[in-house]
Amino acid sequence: MIQKIDKQAVQEALEMAYDRCKNETGGKNADYIPYLANVPSDLFGIAACLPDGDVVAVGDVKYRFGIESVSKVPTAILAMNQYSGEEVLQKIGADATGLPFNSIMAILLEKDHPSTPLVNAGAISACSMIRPTGDSQGKWQAIVEFIADLAGSPVEVIDELYKSETATNFNNKSIAWLLKNYNRIYDDPDLALDIYTRQCSIGVTAVQLAVMAATIANGGVNPITCKPVFKPELAPKITSMMATVGFYEHTGDWLFQTGLPAKTGVGGGIMGVVPGVMGVAAFAPPLDEAGNSVKAQKALAYISLHLNMGVFGTTRCVMEEKEPARA
Ligand code: GLU
């Protein structure tokens, strides 16, 4: 069964989600990275990007916040695009660890592979894979250009955030070198860690996250620039990874409740992919105990349920213009 939605319906859903969630006071900013503790806690924005490139948005959607773990998604796609899905599966894996995103225990338990590029260990490993290896500047260029292509607009590092993360990333240093011990780092560990730290420090807006998600939803073609950014067969691969581990240890609960493959970051951003339909994103800094934005997850859950966007349902939403021909 097909349920048709249009831009107006999406706009209304975003506005209703905003109104319902704007007074939510739960959670607190991440504070293990000092910069994040000082981001104004009341910021809140929601955006969606539709297949024709139309963007609908409400709230603080132009504020640049730290992309953090959401950056693991583009780097995983880039690694699969440069190598192949199979090679990333073999070198890193695609399993949820069931443990916190920065878990060292997870590496010790699964020493044969870092599990998934969407937790810290796998993301540092993915950064080590990105070509050209051994060339920090070249690697960085490849990543930042790829993210800009996904977003359809330039992105850059928030310097203060990068310095703040670099000064405090002791746990990630341990991860990088432990991976080296298990031959799961494919470049210099310190170089890979620095690239990872820089990519987490990139500033993005909620609109940019929504466009990135829409590019994935659109099979790798950016709906605004119309540029093919990555191989179409990788869209379901990355979406499955997001579905498996995107909400840290709460991923199963999230997927059960919403059916929306999504990836969160400790900067307060969440990006959700509705394959073939749209990209949606929300941003609000205060996080729950697992590291997921409290307001952003409530808003996206509301939108997903209200528009019936869950990917496992038998009633499937499609955009009005994209209704498939009936047999
Ligand atoms: N840069 C953060 C870290 O490595 C990202 C964490 C996240 O957003 O999950 O701890």
Side-chain angles (χ1 to χ4, degrees):
M1 270 188 359
I2 300 290
Q3 179 207 339
K4 288 190 281 179
I5 51 172
D6 59 14
K7 185 180 172 186
Q8 184 64 26
V10 177
Q11 179 78 51
E12 280 167 18
L14 261 60
E15 280 163 11
M16 283 192 283
Y18 186 86
D19 282 344
R20 280 168 179 251
C21 303
K22 67 179 183 223
N23 296 323
E24 169 68 55
T25 54
K28 96 184 202 342
N29 286 29
D31 56 9
Y32 74 101
I33 299 169
Y35 173 94
L36 297 179
N38 296 322
V39 175
S41 299
D42 56 351
L43 290 165
F44 181 34
I46 316 171
C49 178
L50 312 181
D52 57 5
D54 265 348
V55 170
V56 295
V58 54
D60 301 307
V61 291
K62 293 192 175 144
Y63 184 88
R64 281 177 72 237
F65 56 93
I67 187 171
E68 296 298 344
S69 265
V70 184
S71 68
K72 291 165 178 161
V73 172
T75 304
I77 307 172
L78 180 58
M80 291 193 283
N81 212 42
Q82 287 186 343
Y83 296 75
S84 67
E86 267 313 304
E87 197 160 348
V88 169
L89 185 66
Q90 181 254 317
K91 284 192 153 76
I92 299 177
D95 265 342
T97 64
L99 290 166
F101 61 90
N102 55 2
S103 176
I104 286 180
M105 177 77 77
I107 306 170
L108 294 170
L109 290 173
E110 300 220 33
K111 53 184 178 290
D112 58 332
H113 60 79
S115 297
T116 162
L118 301 194
V119 298
N120 287 20
I124 296 168
S125 187
C127 285
S128 78
M129 284 177 74
I130 298 300
R131 293 178 174 133
T133 45
D135 171 1
S136 175
Q137 196 42 39
K139 231 181 223 279
W140 175 245
Q141 211 57 30
I143 289 175
V144 85
E145 278 169 14
F146 190 73
I147 294 178
D149 279 349
L150 284 175
S153 52
V155 290
E156 57 185 42
V157 162
I158 302 173
D159 268 333
E160 208 188 321
L161 175 55
Y162 172 58
K163 286 189 189 119
S164 187
E165 291 217 33
T166 303
T168 53
N169 65 352
F170 312 116
N171 190 79
N172 286 340
K173 281 194 176 104
S174 317
I175 290 176
W177 281 95
L178 193 54
L179 289 173
K180 172 77 177 164
N181 184 52
Y182 292 124
N183 294 321
R184 291 293 167 176
I185 280 281
Y186 306 99
D187 202 340
D188 177 76
D190 289 328
L191 188 159
L193 176 64
D194 179 57
I195 294 288
Y196 167 78
T197 310
R198 269 201 260 175
Q199 74 169 34
C200 287
S201 307
I202 284 175
V204 284
T205 65
V207 167
Q208 284 180 310
L209 275 194
V211 180
M212 286 168 65
T215 303
I216 299 171
N218 216 19
V221 178
N222 184 306
I224 292 182
T225 62
C226 298
K227 179 173 177 176
V229 182
F230 62 85
K231 296 174 196 141
E233 65 267 25
L234 299 178
K237 301 290 179 211
I238 192 64
T239 310
S240 78
M241 283 176 173
M242 292 168 72
T244 315
V245 73
F247 261 71
Y248 308 119
E249 310 95 278
H250 291 178
T251 306
D253 288 357
W254 168 260
L255 207 55
F256 181 87
Q257 286 168 322
T258 67
L260 177 67
K263 180 74 195 90
T264 77
V266 295
I270 305 180
M271 118 179 154
V273 173
V274 193
V277 180
M278 75 172 98
V280 61
F283 157 66
L287 311 177
D288 65 18
E289 72 285 0
N292 303 307
S293 167
V294 172
K295 258 187 212 171
Q297 67 179 294
K298 284 204 168 152
L300 292 188
Y302 175 80
I303 294 165
S304 180
L305 295 173
H306 185 77
L307 294 177
N308 206 6
M309 298 197 305
V311 299
F312 303 108
T314 47
T315 307
R316 192 75 172 79
C317 71
V318 293
M319 293 307 295
E320 191 85 60
E321 303 81 345
K322 289 257 163 163
E323 188 187 6
R326 284 167 206 271

